Amino acid sequence: MSDGWWAEVADGVFVRRHRELDLSVGLVLGERRCLVVDTRGDAAQGAELAAAVRMLTPRPWTVVLTHAHFDHAFGAGAFLPCPVWAHERCRTALTREGAAQRADWAGRYRAAGEHATADALAATTIVPPDRLVRDRAELDLGGRRVTLVHPGPAHTDHDLAVHVPDAGVVFAGDLVEHAPGGSFTAESFGPDADLARWPAALGTLLSLGARIVVPGHGEPVDDAFVAAVREPLAALADLRAAVGSGRLSLAAALARSPFAEDVTRAALAPEVSRS
């Protein structure tokens, strides 16, 4: 994987891969403007991405954030002034929890010896979106329309998928991840995840009929990959419910899980902490 490398996955639809957190961001070109999908994790990374976009197009940009987690949303300031789209609860999450996220991850980077990244993140101003989506919105880029779809709670309660119908591409954010050798990682199941409703959200994603699905982390996949992960994700949700109700022990759930132990432990953590 090359860091900061553009790949054109369909006509005028690009994915940029980053070694940092194996992040994938996107760019959609229209005749009059372009759409930037996610902005990386701090002001410096956002500026790097903005410069990379300008290597491909001089067209005015609009930004869409797939969700409020720092690695996807905190670079937005580098693109201002421009419209910044997101789900309405993304704005709430950034306003209420953004500063705590920033402090937490700056501390993690500093503890790992990555002081430059920690400093850049600590100095970043968090930019809340100013164009809000409840269920669905359509953007006209000039000769190309893009649909923003909230498929329901999943990785967060405000996930937003970015569908480019004429190209058969959907940017899924962290609704879908493509980790080396599998799908999700332990980081996928944070405290704001809704595991019980995540499989239904993937069903909505599949109903869009896209051929190419760009995950928030990892290489692009197809609809068959998304369909294949939906059933084990539902099984994991059932295991968590069983642990929460006392019908199943943690050890038994770990033994039956279709995912690796660290992923399962992260997904079951809310129920285990209450038991």
Side-chain angles (χ1 to χ4, degrees), residues 137-150:
E138 189 172 90
L139 306 183
D140 184 359
L141 304 183
R144 165 170 273 169
R145 293 186 179 274
V146 175
T147 306
L148 311 181
V149 179
H150 172 54

Side-chain angles (χ1 to χ4, degrees), residues 2-80:
S2 299
D3 192 34
W5 177 71
W6 288 114
E8 189 170 16
V9 295
D11 185 27
V13 181
F14 297 83
V15 177
R16 189 169 178 82
R17 299 290 310 288
H18 292 276
R19 190 177 306 280
E20 172 67 21
L21 301 177
D22 200 9
L23 185 74
S24 294
V25 298
L27 176 66
V28 183
L29 302 184
E31 294 173 359
R32 295 194 301 272
R33 58 187 59 86
C34 66
L35 181 66
V36 178
V37 184
D38 287 341
T39 59
R40 303 192 69 199
D42 60 45
Q45 292 180 0
E48 186 277 334
L49 177 60
V53 170
R54 282 291 170 251
M55 292 174 62
L56 293 184
T57 178
R59 295 165 201 169
W61 52 43
T62 293
V63 165
V64 59
L65 305 177
T66 60
H67 60 295
H69 290 165
F70 89 101
D71 48 330
H72 297 264
F74 280 19
F79 294 87
L80 297 181

Side-chain angles (χ1 to χ4, degrees), residues 109-173:
Y109 282 118
R110 206 171 302 284
E114 298 181 37
H115 297 288
T117 302
D119 291 344
L121 182 52
T124 292
T125 298
I126 299 167
V127 175
D130 60 352
R131 308 295 172 88
L132 304 181
V133 180
R134 175 167 295 177
D135 296 310
R136 184 178 293 251
E138 189 172 90
L139 306 183
D140 184 359
L141 304 183
R144 165 170 273 169
R145 293 186 179 274
V146 175
T147 306
L148 311 181
V149 179
H150 172 54
H155 180 65
T156 68
D157 68 355
H158 56 267
D159 296 300
L160 204 61
V162 181
H163 183 211
V164 190
D166 71 311
V169 177
V170 63
F171 292 89

Side-chain angles (χ1 to χ4, degrees), residues 68 88-99 101 157-158:
E88 59 188 10
R89 286 193 292 273
C90 179
R91 180 182 178 92
T92 302
L94 285 171
T95 301
R96 292 180 179 174
E97 303 155 15
Q101 262 201 86
D157 68 355
H158 56 267

